[in-house]
Amino acid sequence: METKIKNTLQQWIPGIQGGIETASDYELLHQLACSCINRIHLGTEEDLLWVEDIAKVVNVLYQSGNRYTKNAIENEFLCELVQEECPASLKLHMNLLPKELRKEYLKVILEN
């Protein structure tokens, strides 16, 4: 079944096609967060730009989403990023996220 999350990710993120039909929304967001973390660790300008682009897509989903979509993003995308959080990385992570999503990111940090 096509969901808003799957449909949006397929349209806006190149290369996400593999296995998307069988993965749940939560699994897709978790995999996407893990990919972002890996690219943040690599730290090249190209990788960080990729993470910014992904964050913009996730932000569009979040801002236009219903409660299910927002919960999925908070629980699987933002929570995964928070697991990597330390004082030295907070500024970088905040700069990679769109302004609107930063508030939610901080909320997830405080809740965890």
Side-chain angles (χ1 to χ4, degrees):
M1 182 172 101
E2 283 294 310
T3 64
K4 181 177 182 176
I5 293 173
K6 284 183 184 181
N7 190 30
T8 302
L9 294 179
Q10 280 181 312
Q11 288 179 2
W12 289 88
I13 302 173
I16 198 166
Q17 306 300 331
I20 197 168
E21 296 83 21
T22 58
S24 71
D25 290 340
Y26 278 72
E27 291 169 330
L28 286 172
L29 288 167
H30 182 83
Q31 291 169 5
L32 196 57
C34 290
S35 294
C36 286
I37 290 167
N38 290 336
R39 290 197 182 221
I40 289 170
H41 287 296
L42 291 174
T44 67
E45 187 175 332
E46 182 180 316
D47 288 319
L48 295 179
L49 287 173
W50 185 87
V51 172
E52 280 185 38
D53 289 342
I54 297 304
K56 288 175 187 174
V57 173
V58 171
N59 184 54
V60 168
L61 270 170
Y62 191 88
Q63 298 306 318
S64 66
N66 58 19
R67 182 79 317 229
Y68 168 81
T69 301
K70 291 180 179 188
N71 283 338
I73 290 169
E74 290 172 10
N75 293 335
E76 292 302 324
F77 187 80
L78 296 177
C79 276
E80 192 63 31
L81 291 179
V82 165
Q83 299 303 316
E84 295 291 314
E85 195 58 67
C86 68
S89 65
L90 180 61
K91 183 177 179 182
L92 172 63
H93 289 176
M94 293 296 283
N95 287 337
L96 292 172
L97 295 173
K99 188 177 184 177
E100 301 85 7
L101 201 54
R102 291 176 190 167
K103 181 179 98 174
E104 303 309 322
Y105 185 69
L106 290 174
K107 181 179 94 174
V108 171
I109 288 173
L110 293 173
E111 289 175 351
N112 290 315

